[in-house]
Amino acid sequence: MNEPLAQRLRPKTLADAPGRVFRRTIESGRIPNMIFYGPSGTGKTTVARIIAENSGMTLHKLNGTSCGTGDIKAVLKDIGTLAGAGGILLYLDEIQYLNKKQQTLIASTTENPYFYIYNALLSRCTVFEFKSLSAADVERGVHNALKKLSEGESTKVCMDEDACAYLAESAGGDLRKALGCLDFAVTAAPIEDGEKHIT
């Protein structure tokens, strides 16, 4: 089965996902403890992956809904080994689900960190808030996805402007959600006159 469209189109570099602050941080060679805070589908995991890849660090991604202290300790065992030679970047998604004694660095949360995260950890981290995307931002992302789909598919894919605007508006600022819906629409669209036309 193919990867979801949102995964296939995920930016690979910070040039694809503009963010001068993160680019300069990577270039400095000093990655601080960070907490990414914001709604789903706004790029938190993507930015963490890009930071790890561009800094030469080994990325370990855990999720607060399913991991515990033992999982974190297993990641920390890589420190000082060949696997951790360039450094370890622990990305902890949904950190608010860990109890406050389990919370540790580079993390993301959809909840306000000032209410859900241990204060001693917050004092050692920089918090970056990711805002919901505007409908115009999501629509731009859908247009880019359509362009890439048309280049990669054997059948041309096109979408009415009002359908694109409706999809962008109904995504509620979540580009991943919009791309998932677009992926479904492209899969379900019939081929007529040699193209898939989404209305």
Side-chain angles (χ1 to χ4, degrees):
M1 188 171 156
N2 286 340
E3 279 185 308
L5 181 61
Q7 185 65 28
R8 293 192 317 254
L9 298 178
R10 188 179 288 237
K12 306 285 188 268
T13 68
L14 289 176
D16 298 334
R20 290 188 207 111
V21 170
F22 297 118
R23 197 173 308 131
R24 286 193 299 264
T25 299
I26 292 168
E27 289 167 359
S28 78
R30 296 178 60 210
I31 310 299
N33 297 332
M34 294 180 274
I35 295 174
F36 297 162
Y37 154 52
S40 298
T42 55
K44 299 182 299 294
T45 302
T46 296
V47 170
R49 183 187 45 75
I50 290 170
I51 288 172
E53 287 175 1
N54 287 276
S55 65
M57 300 174 97
T58 301
L59 176 66
H60 290 274
K61 184 177 180 237
L62 298 175
N63 189 298
T65 60
S66 59
C67 79
T69 306
D71 299 299
I72 295 167
K73 286 179 180 176
V75 169
L76 297 178
K77 285 182 183 175
D78 274 354
I79 295 173
T81 68
L82 190 58
I88 300 289
L89 189 148
L90 173 58
Y91 180 72
L92 191 50
D93 198 12
E94 301 294 351
I95 190 174
Q96 74 273 13
Y97 288 103
L98 294 181
N99 70 47
K100 289 186 175 183
K101 291 184 180 182
Q102 292 174 311
Q103 293 174 359
T104 190
L105 49 101
I106 299 196
S108 73
T109 178
T110 54
E111 303 295 336
N112 187 326
Y114 298 102
F115 295 118
Y116 287 90
I117 297 176
Y118 190 48
N119 285 337
L121 175 61
L122 276 178
S123 72
R124 292 169 173 84
C125 295
T126 303
V127 176
F128 291 93
E129 184 174 0
F130 286 58
K131 301 284 189 179
S132 289
L133 301 174
S134 69
D137 292 331
V138 173
E139 192 167 350
R140 206 168 24 256
V142 170
H143 278 293
N144 288 339
L146 283 167
K147 182 180 174 190
K148 289 183 180 180
L149 279 172
S150 289
E151 293 168 357
E153 298 276 325
S154 55
T155 306
K156 183 180 176 191
V157 178
C158 66
M159 184 176 203
D160 289 352
E161 281 302 316
D162 61 337
C164 187
Y166 175 79
L167 177 62
E169 188 66 40
S170 65
D174 185 336
L175 182 57
R176 182 174 51 222
K177 179 179 179 181
L179 293 178
C181 292
L182 176 63
D183 203 11
F184 176 77
V186 169
T187 301
I191 299 173
E192 296 175 356
D193 300 322
E195 71 176 25
K196 290 188 172 190
H197 184 198
I198 302 166
T199 61

